[in-house]
Structures are given as structure tokens and as C-alpha cells.
Amino acid sequence: MQLFDTALGNWMGLGSSLCVFAEKCGSALAIEHNGDLYSCDHYVYPRYKLGNVMNQSLGAMLNSPAQIKFGNDKFDTLPKFCRECEVRFACNGECLKHRFIQTPDGEDGLNYLCAAYKKFFSHIDPHMKTMARLLQNNRAPSDIMGLLAQK
């Protein structure tokens, strides 16, 4: 359900409620039992340690240059293949941690699930557009079921 809800947000131009499909990341921090704060729960490594809440404010670490760069890197490092993709608005290259294969042109940084995401998002496109229109007309997106049953 979360995947469809997240997709609908992207189809409506509202952005993703799930970090992996957001255009930028950096707001899903990870905090350890000792107060150490990391850029992301997928990046709990020394390189991504922002500091410790016992020594620094959470706000200062969240707004630090290192964290801002971490968040911007998600969009800034997208391969050309992704930037030109018809479903980039829905996928946004997914999580940086999963970008470890090459594009068909040999550029590094393609998500290993790219082909599946492209197929999935292309498949749900007409239904997401219908649900977005329903919402814009103050109707429930679930009304799509009745519309599909009529076909």
C-alpha cells in the first residue's frame, strides 16, 4: 500500500513521502543508542556520522553542509540515463545505496532495480493519472475500482 500511496504523491506533483523515491534525501536520519547521528539508516558508517546529540544540536547536524550535500547528491549524481527517463519523477533513481550498476551507455550509478521500476511505474501510469484526477475532483482515489469495473 505504501508504494502506491507514495507513487500517487509523485504523480500529483506533491513529492514522495518515502525517502527512496524522493528527489533528494537526507531527512531520514539514524540515531544510535549512544547519541551518534548518521545521514541515513542505510549509511550508518563512520564517513556519514554527523556528530552526537550529546555534543551538538540535532538541528545543527541536520542543517550541516555535510548533510545538505548528502541530500543533494541523490539528484546531483543521477546518470544521464536516469535524468532522461520518462519515470524519473516517480523513481528519482531510488536509494543511492542501490546505484551500483552501469547504464546501457556505460555510465556508473544506475540503480540495480531500474528495469523493474521502469516496468512497474510505466504499468501503473494510467491508473495513477486517473486517481490523481479523482483526487483533484474531490473524489476518493479508491473510486478507480468502480471505473475499472465499468470497463
Side-chain angles (χ1 to χ4, degrees):
M1 201 56 207
Q2 182 184 37
L3 181 58
F4 291 101
D5 184 53
T6 299
L8 185 55
N10 280 339
W11 256 263
M12 294 189 69
L14 301 173
S16 175
S17 59
L18 189 59
C19 64
V20 295
F21 296 121
E23 190 171 61
K24 295 183 179 186
C25 59
S27 59
L29 305 168
I31 190 164
E32 294 285 284
H33 69 284
N34 65 353
D36 287 346
L37 188 71
Y38 294 87
S39 292
C40 172
D41 64 340
H42 294 152
Y43 285 90
V44 181
Y45 305 112
R47 177 177 170 202
Y48 299 98
K49 181 179 170 184
L50 298 170
N52 187 290
V53 295
M54 302 299 284
N55 306 320
Q56 290 176 271
S57 76
L58 189 59
M61 290 184 283
L62 181 61
N63 295 307
S64 70
Q67 185 63 5
I68 291 169
K69 181 183 181 327
F70 177 84
N72 289 338
D73 279 351
K74 181 172 183 187
F75 179 79
D76 294 344
T77 62
L78 274 175
K80 181 181 178 190
F81 183 78
C82 296
R83 290 189 311 267
E84 296 175 350
C85 178
E86 64 275 3
V87 296
R88 188 207 46 90
F89 74 95
C91 170
N92 287 302
E94 212 248 302
C95 182
L96 283 165
K97 188 144 188 179
H98 300 149
R99 294 185 193 173
F100 52 80
I101 64 172
Q102 291 185 334
T103 68
D105 301 329
E107 190 177 0
D108 288 331
L110 184 65
N111 188 294
Y112 79 103
L113 295 171
C114 174
Y117 282 135
K118 190 177 272 194
K119 186 176 273 194
F120 173 73
F121 289 127
S122 295
H123 176 74
I124 66 170
D125 179 64
H127 308 297
M128 289 291 129
K129 286 177 179 172
T130 299
M131 288 190 291
R133 279 193 302 276
L134 287 167
L135 273 171
Q136 290 162 346
N137 290 308
N138 295 316
R139 291 181 59 192
S142 60
D143 288 353
I144 192 172
M145 299 309 290
L147 297 173
L148 290 173
Q150 291 174 2
K151 287 186 176 183

